Amino acid sequence: QDGDLYARFSVPADAEAPVVPVVAPNFVGQHSPYHVHVRDWPSTKVLRTGYVQSPTDYAMAGPRSDAVEPKLLAPRLDAEKFENPPEEEHLRPGETSGWVPVGQALDALNNYHWKFTAPVEMGVEFAIPDGRGGLKTVRKVTVSGTTLFEMPGCVAPNRGLEKILQERYWLPKIRTQTEALKWLLSEVKKFPEKGSRPERFLIYGIMCFGSGLQHPEGRELALTLGDNTGVGQKGNKRALVHWPDPSLEYIKQQDLEDIYIVSYGDEVHLPPFEPSEEEFSAWLQQKGVRYEGPVKYTTDRNDPLYYYSQICAKETGLKHYAVGTAEYARHGALTWTNYSPHANYLVTDIDYVRPFKLKALSMPGSEDYVWQIPEFSIQVMGYLTSGLRAGAKYHDMPIYMYVMPHSPGNTPRDFRLSFYTCIAHGVKIIGYFCASPLAVGATENYVATDDLAMWRAIYDCTRQVGIFEDYVVDGHVREAKVGLLLSSVDEIMTGVRNSTFAMHNNERKAIYYALRHAQVPVDFLSEDDVIEGLAEDYRLIYVTQQWLHSNAVKALTDWVRKGGTLVALCGGGFLNEFNEPNPEANALYGVGEQSLATDPDLLKYIMEPDKPFLSKQDLPPYEPFDTVGWRARTEKLSTGVMVWKQTLVPADGKVIGIYRGGSPAVIEKEHGKGRAVLFGFFPGQAYLKSALPLRPPDRGATDDSFTHFLPTEMDADLRKALVDDFLPEDFEPPVTCSVQLVEATVIDTAGPPRRMAVPLMNYTGKPIERLTVRIRDVSRPVAVRSVERGKLRVRFLDGDIVVTMPLELTDMLLIDF
């Protein structure tokens, strides 16, 4: 009720005829922390003797009876009588209406659009209660025609809320669209100049998805922020369209001259197409699959041919889209679908690798909505992007990522971290979807007009691309020596989705976090990569699956004998593609028997069966249902067992860890020059839990909220046991930082000219005054500079280059040879 708002309307004396002003909330711009969907709110007609609201299904809350003296307000009139008011009820030239309560139509949670239609040029005056029964004017403006106002969710905050708004956000202001755009443009022009508008690295979504580019101020604002795809781009082949039909008949009907990106769908994956019996049989023969028994396509999970049936259906669907993708490629256009990460941030072979390897799509892509999910850290954007890079590598495809500056919702810090992290792991095109101010935005995809800190982040990041784009567009993320295995067999047999229980993906994410915290680069590998010999140069591979293709297990065994280290976590691939026991897995780990059991109290934490396990929400209160004592290379550890527990009976493997009751929990077996280690539990979950306080998993819009909390207190001993103890003794990361939670990658450009970029992302949550970065095996460069700080002094040490510099949040080293 502190948000009561009133308005009155004045008709100029020289108006030609009486008028009826109409006001209506537009309800564009509702956004997180919570979506509020509203329909059928009434418009309000303002008459000489009062006001009337059109009928609605919703009961309208009226103004507080004690807020303003009734004699000051226009009376509410009978809606049935005055829905179509007679002319004598119209406001006449020279008249001013009474005060009309309009606060009951405010959202109260979010700023939004409010539409006023004035048949002639009129005066509009807004007021709020003065606390003494009267009204205090807060805004006067003259308008004509249909005017869209940007209205604060709370126009009249009480003193406590006003203090919070001033400290954390901004004070409420009532503006027209044009006023808001002019104000924002003037403020953006005051930002310290950074870089230049990029030319080669494309940025989509500045002033898109709304009416922004219809205004001259909006177009100028877009260019000032660094837009290179929206304003004045006709003829430059920049257009992005949403055309779901990949058929040649449809494509031939389209004008493709300016089209650069074609989306087959938003927040979807490409669907499978059920093959005929003949197609399925022919596909099996082509794949060289030997099966003794009748060959028939099936959807029965218990049928031995279920995996092959489903993978055939997937590839049949991909083949359908590949026809359209090839045709678009002939016209110089890329195809993609935006992969939604909600809620598991799930990376799979089925969707992150196979569609790109088979050229069903020519550009991998996903989106950043981490602030809406209780995910461990915004650093997960590197996990997603690395997964996309696993599919892009076969045909050197560009990666597109939505990095969203939504406000309220995201924060400038996390937006910057996401932006640089995505680029560090291979992204070459970024879309904001969208960097439009609420004043001209649409739906929930906007940036609060007043959020100058976010606009500064958009301005800085976009224009910094102009500094480093040549190093990124022409470069490639250096291949790692450590891999995370993906399994299409496990994905199909478990039926895992972003909306289902996906603990093996959770553990894979945990290992990813641990590796990146230890500054170890990591790639994703598919079963086919292992089978086809593409993993030969990797030194360490982590496995988090119950099912694995039998040929992959055989290939991994050969890889281990040659010197590789294989680490399996509560799985190990003991079932094969026919859903039968995989004896090669038993031999690989030295295990005679094994079985998997679920924590009997699991539903205390996820509440419903087969729902996602969310790190920040479910790990802090989790009480382990067993413990493991195990000996790492340097010391003995004790770790809690959560979610799943694998009972292990050793054969010729060595027991190096035991459960609380004394039964085997960790088994190790040497093969030739290498070894395989099987954990019967999820040590990665214990690693994540060690850094998470017990707090409500809110979706606040500040860095203080838990959704934006950056974990920093992970168990260092456990991280060493999960990462360092399995790395080869001669392993050295290509780049190391003196502060462990600074993430870095290397992007190489073979040239000419030869270049190198080293993105830096500070995940400590605070500025670093003195950071030392060491880049190994680098011949003497011609120049080393920083995007933020320009030319840097460099030391040379044993064939490495060493740079010492401050790091506030993000930066990138640019090295020329």
Side-chain angles (χ1 to χ4, degrees):
Q1 293 296 336
D2 291 316
D4 278 350
L5 179 67
Y6 301 80
R8 65 182 179 183
F9 309 90
S10 303
V11 183
D14 58 355
E16 295 182 358
V19 298
V20 178
V22 179
V23 298
N26 204 34
F27 287 103
V28 170
Q30 296 145 17
H31 192 41
S32 55
Y34 308 99
H35 291 286
V36 183
H37 298 288
V38 184
R39 64 178 177 84
D40 298 332
W41 284 91
S43 59
T44 299
K45 296 178 175 66
V46 183
L47 310 178
R48 294 186 68 216
T49 57
Y51 69 97
V52 59
Q53 290 177 330
S54 59
T56 175
D57 295 335
Y58 288 81
M60 300 299 296
R64 276 172 48 187
S65 60
D66 61 345
V68 180
E69 293 183 16
K71 65 181 182 181
L72 296 178
L73 304 180
R76 182 165 181 177
L77 306 176
D78 186 344
E80 291 187 7
K81 182 177 179 180
F82 294 105
E83 176 65 20
N84 297 301
E87 187 170 340
E88 59 265 24
E89 284 293 334
H90 295 196
L91 282 177
R92 296 176 181 177
E95 288 187 333
T96 298
S97 75
W99 287 104
V100 177
V102 293
Q104 69 270 26
L106 293 179
D107 185 326
L109 287 177
N110 303 280
N111 292 13
Y112 68 101
H113 293 175
W114 194 74
K115 185 168 60 177
F116 172 62
T117 302
V120 298
E121 186 177 87
M122 297 182 64
V124 182
E125 185 176 359
F126 297 99
I128 60 176
D130 63 6
R132 298 184 299 274
L135 289 168
K136 177 177 66 175
T137 297
V138 293
R139 182 71 210 276
K140 287 184 178 180
V141 63
T142 300
V143 298
S144 63
T146 298
T147 302
L148 205 61
F149 287 88
E150 182 182 342
M151 302 297 288
C154 181
V155 180
N158 59 36
R159 290 183 179 179
L161 178 57
E162 184 176 33
K163 184 174 184 294
I164 293 172
L165 291 174
Q166 192 163 23
E167 290 175 350
R168 296 189 180 185
Y169 303 102
W170 44 85
L171 293 174
K173 292 183 178 66
I174 297 174
R175 299 189 184 98
T176 68
Q177 267 191 339
T178 301
E179 290 171 338
L181 279 175
K182 287 182 177 179
W183 174 83
L184 181 56
L185 177 60
S186 68
E187 293 298 313
V188 170
K189 285 184 174 180
K190 297 175 187 176
F191 293 159
E193 189 167 346
K194 286 280 182 108
S196 60
R197 187 170 71 137
E199 296 180 1
R200 302 180 61 207
F201 188 111
L202 300 185
I203 303 286
Y204 285 86
I206 298 179
M207 302 300 290
C208 81
F209 204 61
S211 61
L213 295 182
Q214 298 173 18
H215 302 259
E217 298 87 357
R219 293 190 291 274
E220 186 177 356
L221 176 60
L223 292 174
T224 304
L225 290 167
D227 166 69
N228 61 7
T229 58
V231 179
Q233 293 299 316
K234 187 172 179 58
N236 291 337
K237 206 167 184 64
R238 293 288 184 266
L240 188 158
V241 295
H242 296 267
W243 293 341
D245 188 345
S247 68
L248 294 179
E249 293 76 12
Y250 177 84
I251 296 172
K252 289 176 181 177
Q253 298 173 25
Q254 311 308 317
D255 180 2
L256 300 175
E257 183 178 357
D258 242 13
I259 304 302
Y260 184 53
I261 298 173
V262 177
S263 169
Y264 287 145
D266 187 54
E267 298 187 337
V268 297
H269 295 137
L270 294 185
F273 284 19
E274 183 175 328
S276 67
E277 298 294 340
E278 294 77 13
E279 288 174 325
F280 180 48
S281 180
W283 183 88
L284 286 174
Q285 288 184 349
Q286 180 189 0
K287 295 289 184 179
V289 177
R290 296 181 180 180
Y291 176 69
E292 295 181 5
V295 174
K296 186 176 181 180
Y297 176 85
T298 181
T299 58
D300 179 1
R301 288 182 181 275
N302 297 314
D303 191 297
L305 284 179
Y306 176 74
Y307 163 72
Y308 280 118
S309 293
Q310 299 311 301
I311 201 70
C312 176
K314 184 69 174 183
E315 292 195 0
T316 302
L318 297 180
K319 183 178 179 181
H320 173 73
Y321 283 89
V323 174
T325 291
E327 181 63 16
Y328 282 124
R330 201 169 66 82
H331 294 273
L334 300 167
T335 62
W336 81 312
T337 60
N338 170 34
Y339 289 174
S340 169
H342 285 60
N344 280 322
Y345 282 77
L346 173 67
V347 172
T348 64
D349 168 84
I350 292 291
D351 292 308
Y352 277 68
V353 175
R354 205 164 293 255
F356 310 103
K357 187 175 183 180
L358 299 182
K359 298 185 179 180
L361 298 167
S362 56
M363 183 174 69
S366 186
E367 63 186 7
D368 168 8
Y369 265 123
V370 181
W371 74 90
Q372 291 189 338
I373 299 294
E375 177 55 52
F376 181 75
S377 169
I378 184 68
Q379 201 168 8
V380 77
M381 293 309 296
Y383 181 82
L384 280 189
T385 307
S386 295
L388 296 171
R389 195 173 70 244
K393 68 187 178 189
Y394 302 101
H395 308 292
D396 195 19
M397 296 175 178
I399 299 173
Y400 185 114
M401 187 68 78
Y402 281 138
V403 179
M404 291 138 147
H406 289 48
S407 168
N410 208 350
T411 66
R413 184 199 68 188
D414 280 12
F415 167 75
R416 290 176 188 259
L417 284 171
S418 178
F419 188 92
Y420 267 80
T421 298
C422 288
I423 291 172
H425 290 281
V427 168
K428 298 189 178 184
I429 304 174
I430 280 178
Y432 292 145
F433 201 74
C434 49
S436 293
L438 171 58
V440 290
T443 70
E444 77 281 8
N445 299 287
Y446 67 87
V447 176
T449 307
D450 293 281
D451 192 351
L452 293 181
M454 185 63 85
W455 288 112
R456 174 70 184 274
I458 294 166
Y459 175 89
D460 287 354
C461 286
T462 306
R463 296 178 68 86
Q464 283 177 346
V465 173
I467 300 173
F468 63 67
E469 61 182 340
D470 289 341
Y471 296 76
V472 170
V473 173
D474 296 328
H476 294 85
V477 178
R478 186 176 297 179
E479 187 177 275
K481 299 299 180 185
V482 177
L484 297 174
L485 188 68
L486 300 174
S487 165
S488 61
V489 180
D490 192 81
E491 293 155 16
I492 286 176
M493 299 307 297
T494 60
V496 67
R497 299 288 186 272
N498 258 317
S499 59
T500 66
F501 193 62
M503 279 312 299
H504 278 130
N505 182 68
N506 280 41
E507 185 69 359
R508 192 163 56 228
K509 280 190 295 184
I511 298 302
Y512 175 88
Y513 285 127
L515 287 163
R516 296 312 291 139
H517 295 161
Q519 303 183 11
V520 176
V522 56
D523 294 335
F524 283 90
L525 299 168
S526 70
E527 289 166 309
D528 286 347
D529 288 339
V530 174
I531 294 168
E532 295 166 6
L534 299 180
E536 287 185 355
D537 292 335
Y538 287 79
R539 309 291 298 279
L540 169 61
I541 296 176
Y542 292 87
V543 174
T544 61
Q545 288 86 10
Q546 298 177 65
W547 281 264
L548 281 180
H549 198 287
S550 56
N551 289 341
V553 176
K554 293 174 183 177
L556 286 170
T557 302
D558 291 339
W559 173 82
V560 169
R561 288 194 184 102
K562 295 175 183 177
T565 296
L566 185 72
V567 178
L569 305 135
C570 205
F574 286 93
L575 293 169
N576 68 12
E577 65 273 24
F578 298 110
N579 199 22
E580 296 172 344
N582 214 343
E584 291 88 353
N586 295 70
L588 175 59
Y589 303 110
V591 171
E593 298 178 12
Q594 60 80 39
S595 61
L596 202 63
T598 301
D599 181 354
D601 292 328
L602 177 61
L603 291 184
K604 285 173 54 178
Y605 307 102
I606 64 173
M607 307 306 287
E608 296 180 54
D610 202 28
K611 292 297 181 183
F613 188 93
L614 303 171
S615 298
K616 276 184 178 173
Q617 174 177 294
D618 300 324
L619 275 176
Y622 205 105
E623 298 178 6
F625 68 109
D626 202 346
T627 57
V628 173
W630 52 294
R631 181 167 296 282
R633 183 181 294 176
T634 55
E635 58 187 291
K636 190 173 183 179
L637 298 172
S638 179
T639 305
V641 176
M642 290 171 280
V643 184
W644 282 345
K645 173 184 174 180
Q646 196 170 15
T647 299
L648 304 174
V649 177
D652 55 351
K654 177 183 177 183
V655 176
I656 60 173
I658 57 174
Y659 294 114
R660 185 166 47 213
S663 61
V666 188
I667 293 179
E668 178 184 59
K669 182 178 177 181
E670 295 184 357
H671 296 266
K673 299 179 181 179
R675 59 175 173 154
V677 181
L678 174 62
F679 288 81
F681 62 104
F682 286 137
Q685 299 310 297
Y687 175 71
L688 300 187
K689 180 177 169 61
S690 69
L692 293 174
L694 183 60
R695 287 175 54 182
D698 61 59
R699 295 198 295 180
T702 68
D703 289 333
D704 294 334
S705 61
F706 199 35
T707 189
H708 293 286
F709 173 74
L710 284 180
T712 59
E713 301 298 322
M714 287 72 67
D715 186 329
D717 291 333
L718 184 52
R719 180 171 64 237
K720 290 178 182 177
L722 292 176
V723 177
D724 298 53
D725 282 5
F726 297 119
L727 292 170
E729 293 184 0
D730 61 349
F731 176 82
E732 289 186 334
V735 55
T736 53
C737 299
S738 56
V739 178
Q740 199 154 39
L741 293 184
V742 173
E743 183 175 7
T745 66
V746 175
I747 301 174
D748 294 306
T749 301
R754 184 182 162 218
R755 299 186 177 108
M756 179 186 294
V758 180
L760 301 170
M761 292 73 66
N762 178 5
Y763 279 97
T764 69
K766 55 187 177 182
I768 300 170
E769 292 184 6
R770 187 177 177 84
L771 176 72
T772 299
V773 182
R774 182 167 182 167
I775 308 169
R776 289 184 168 82
D777 299 326
V778 179
S779 57
R780 285 185 175 264
V782 173
V784 178
R785 57 193 171 117
S786 152
V787 167
E788 288 280 0
R789 305 185 182 280
K791 187 176 180 180
L792 298 172
R793 295 181 61 184
V794 178
R795 292 185 292 126
F796 298 94
L797 185 64
D798 300 328
D800 304 342
I801 62 173
V802 180
V803 175
T804 300
M805 56 184 282
L807 179 64
E808 183 174 348
L809 187 62
T810 58
D811 204 343
M812 189 180 296
L813 302 181
L814 306 177
I815 304 169
D816 296 292
F817 297 95

